[in-house]
Amino acid sequence: MPARTQDLAPLKFTLPAPHSLLVGFSGGLDSTVLLHLLASDATARRQGLRAIHVHHGLHPEADQWAAHCQRMCDALSVPLTLTRVQVDCRSGLGLEAAARAARHAAFAAAMTTDDILVLAHHQDDQAETFLLRALRGSGAEGLAAMRDWRAFAHGWLWRPLLDFPRRQLQALAQREGLHWIDDPSNANSGFARNFLRNQVLPMLHERWPHATAAFARSAALCTDAAQLLHAEDSKALTEVAVDTRTLRVAGLLQLTPSRRARVLRHWIATLQLPPLPGNGVARIESDLLSARRDANPRFEWNDACVQRWRDLLHADHIQPSLALDFSQAWDGRQALELPNGDSLRLIGVDGFDTPVRVHARQGGERIVLPKRIHSHALKHVLQAAGMPSWQRQRLPLLSAGSTLLAAGDSVVSAQLHAWLRLYGAQLQWTQLA
């Protein structure tokens, strides 16, 4: 039975006043229906409804598609942003994923604070995503597939059509006399999603007519399960965390292996680091959590690393150390920007009486601490001060001739300490975040 327009009435709820809507408009059936419905909503118009078309340049008719979208938006009096992107076909992601990454980057760049990006994914898309992720062996989070609401860029991403099958959208489009683009690449079953759409799902529908709705329902149940798991992961992470980037090894080892694996992945996600690779948890378990307390092992992947120091795990992007040959004179009058992105500042005084030398650690340095007579090996001082290995790797030293004055801003010699107290000054080492 053809869908009635009021079947799609959930689109017409009242939106929070500060939010404006940015519709991802490809010109295809789905986004054409979405834009038509929103353009018919007075509230959406009052709140600044606009559209964006991403020109990928991958099809000979891409220019004509962009012109079609412009005509459609002009007819609806909806402002359109046309954005051309370069799809990185050599990224290793595959053409579909690379185009999606370029498209989402364009969407994010077009959004302002608290904008809502509205995309036209529907129930059939949800079923396809569920199947694709199941074939990859995804867990509950992956099988939850697409969410109707989630944070995105500077605002939010909303998928208001997820509960509706494509046939309902097509029935509405035909009844309203809408015109849309048929992308011929959708018929190419060489793409995984198209293979499911064109061959697998039609066969399943012959035997199970409600297969699409069932897959979407399973995705919704996985969403519920994922939310419960996420809440428990967040609670466990809080209990073992020293700070956002540092966890207690002892606390992690008290968790069950399955919970520990989830907490580690959740931790990495909260830091917005690249997802752990497939062997990531196993490597952290074997190389870091099982390491001796006096070892300093680390696991690296995709410009990120987790490293252990004593009873702590620390995660961050791989931070550059100071080059061993770095050495520069500094008078303290202005901040000194170091080659690895860190900086040194002298606060509360115009500058040093005579310039000092800022340089990297070479090994074997010794320093005379306040209230001490004899010098101590800097290595032992740093260990006693509890400075983690990831900070020591980038530590700038200050020297006057052969005399070590400071290591960063937390280890200061007796000589420099007295001078800073005399002038009420302070040395500040700021590390690149």
Side-chain angles (χ1 to χ4, degrees):
M1 176 177 172
R4 300 189 304 272
T5 302
Q6 53 264 38
D7 289 339
L8 296 171
L11 282 173
K12 294 183 178 296
F13 69 85
T14 301
L15 297 172
H19 298 290
S20 62
L21 303 181
L22 176 66
V23 179
F25 185 42
S26 69
L29 168 67
D30 312 333
S31 62
T32 297
V33 169
L34 177 62
L35 185 62
H36 170 78
L37 289 167
L38 288 173
S40 303
D41 188 292
T43 301
R45 284 191 176 276
R46 282 196 303 270
Q47 294 179 195
L49 176 65
R50 64 194 199 283
I52 179 172
H53 176 79
V54 178
H55 188 309
H56 300 88
L58 296 175
H59 192 276
E61 298 182 17
D63 288 340
Q64 290 92 315
W65 295 346
H68 167 87
C69 290
Q70 187 66 67
R71 289 193 298 271
M72 291 288 294
C73 288
D74 289 345
L76 293 170
S77 298
V78 173
L80 175 70
T81 298
L82 174 61
T83 302
R84 294 177 181 267
V85 297
Q86 293 290 330
V87 178
D88 185 2
C89 298
R90 296 174 297 178
S91 64
L93 297 173
L95 184 60
E96 283 183 291
R100 180 168 58 251
R103 187 165 57 250
H104 280 214
F107 290 156
M111 294 175 67
T112 58
T113 302
D114 286 337
D115 274 358
I116 299 174
L117 173 66
V118 194
L119 300 181
H121 296 112
H122 46 70
Q123 191 179 82
D124 297 55
D125 295 321
Q126 183 75 301
E128 293 161 11
T129 301
F130 178 85
L131 286 173
L132 283 171
R133 294 186 179 179
L135 290 168
R136 294 174 189 147
S138 298
E141 287 87 348
L143 294 178
M146 294 182 287
R147 314 295 175 91
D148 53 353
W149 279 96
R150 71 174 178 88
F152 178 81
H154 309 291
W156 300 90
L157 189 157
W158 179 36
R159 297 183 176 99
L161 301 180
L162 279 183
D163 290 336
F164 302 99
R166 188 178 188 277
R167 58 179 173 78
Q168 284 188 279
L169 306 187
Q170 187 164 11
L172 184 148
Q174 292 171 341
R175 184 170 60 253
E176 299 293 330
L178 304 181
H179 300 283
W180 62 89
I181 297 166
D182 284 317
D183 185 347
S185 68
N186 290 333
N188 180 2
S189 293
F191 295 119
R193 185 176 289 274
N194 288 351
F195 178 76
L196 289 177
R197 180 182 304 153
N198 300 332
Q199 299 190 40
V200 175
L201 282 170
M203 292 180 62
L204 291 175
H205 284 137
E206 289 183 8
R207 179 65 178 83
W208 296 282
H210 301 294
T212 296
F215 289 136
R217 175 59 179 162
S218 292
L221 293 173
C222 286
T223 297
D224 293 341
Q227 289 173 343
L228 292 173
L229 289 168
H230 180 81
E232 290 299 319
D233 294 340
S234 297
K235 178 182 178 182
L237 177 59
T238 300
E239 292 172 350
V240 301
V242 176
D243 54 46
T244 56
R245 296 194 177 277
T246 313
L247 306 185
R248 292 182 295 104
V249 170
L252 284 169
L253 292 176
Q254 290 176 356
L255 302 175
T256 63
S258 57
R259 176 62 67 187
R260 184 162 60 243
R262 292 187 57 85
V263 167
L264 287 171
R265 292 194 188 96
H266 180 53
W267 178 43
I268 297 303
T270 60
L271 296 176
Q272 297 184 327
L273 295 173
L276 284 169
N279 67 341
V281 170
R283 288 286 304 277
I284 293 172
E285 289 271 4
S286 62
D287 298 352
L288 278 70
L289 295 180
S290 300
R292 301 189 319 272
R293 188 177 184 274
D294 59 350
N296 295 307
R298 57 191 278 148
F299 171 60
E300 298 182 2
W301 78 101
N302 294 345
D303 191 41
C305 71
V306 175
Q307 48 194 327
R308 177 169 176 174
W309 180 73
R310 295 184 178 176
D311 295 322
L312 301 175
L313 281 191
H314 181 81
D316 205 342
H317 291 285
I318 296 175
Q319 302 290 352
S321 302
L322 276 180
L324 288 176
D325 60 354
F326 171 73
S327 180
Q328 183 173 337
W330 181 43
D331 61 12
R333 296 184 182 279
Q334 294 182 339
L336 176 63
E337 301 298 328
L338 301 174
N340 62 354
D342 294 354
S343 64
L344 283 170
R345 286 177 173 80
L346 186 60
I347 301 171
V349 66
D350 290 338
F352 294 110
D353 296 334
T354 58
V356 300
R357 182 171 64 93
V358 180
H359 57 98
R361 291 178 65 197
Q362 301 294 319
E365 294 90 357
R366 300 185 69 83
I367 188 169
V368 178
L369 298 175
K371 301 181 181 180
R372 305 286 177 89
I373 298 175
H374 302 292
S375 66
H376 299 269
L378 178 61
K379 176 181 178 180
H380 297 154
V381 172
L382 296 176
Q383 290 175 344
M387 181 176 288
S389 58
W390 52 86
Q391 291 184 0
R392 298 201 302 267
Q393 292 165 1
R394 58 195 306 172
L395 189 67
L397 305 187
L398 279 69
S399 296
S402 61
T403 301
L404 182 59
L405 298 175
D409 57 6
S410 59
V411 178
V412 179
S413 71
Q415 179 181 341
L416 181 58
H417 181 263
W419 186 87
L420 292 172
R421 288 191 63 185
L422 177 64
Y423 290 100
Q426 178 185 355
L427 183 65
Q428 182 182 76
W429 171 38
T430 302
Q431 299 180 62
L432 178 66

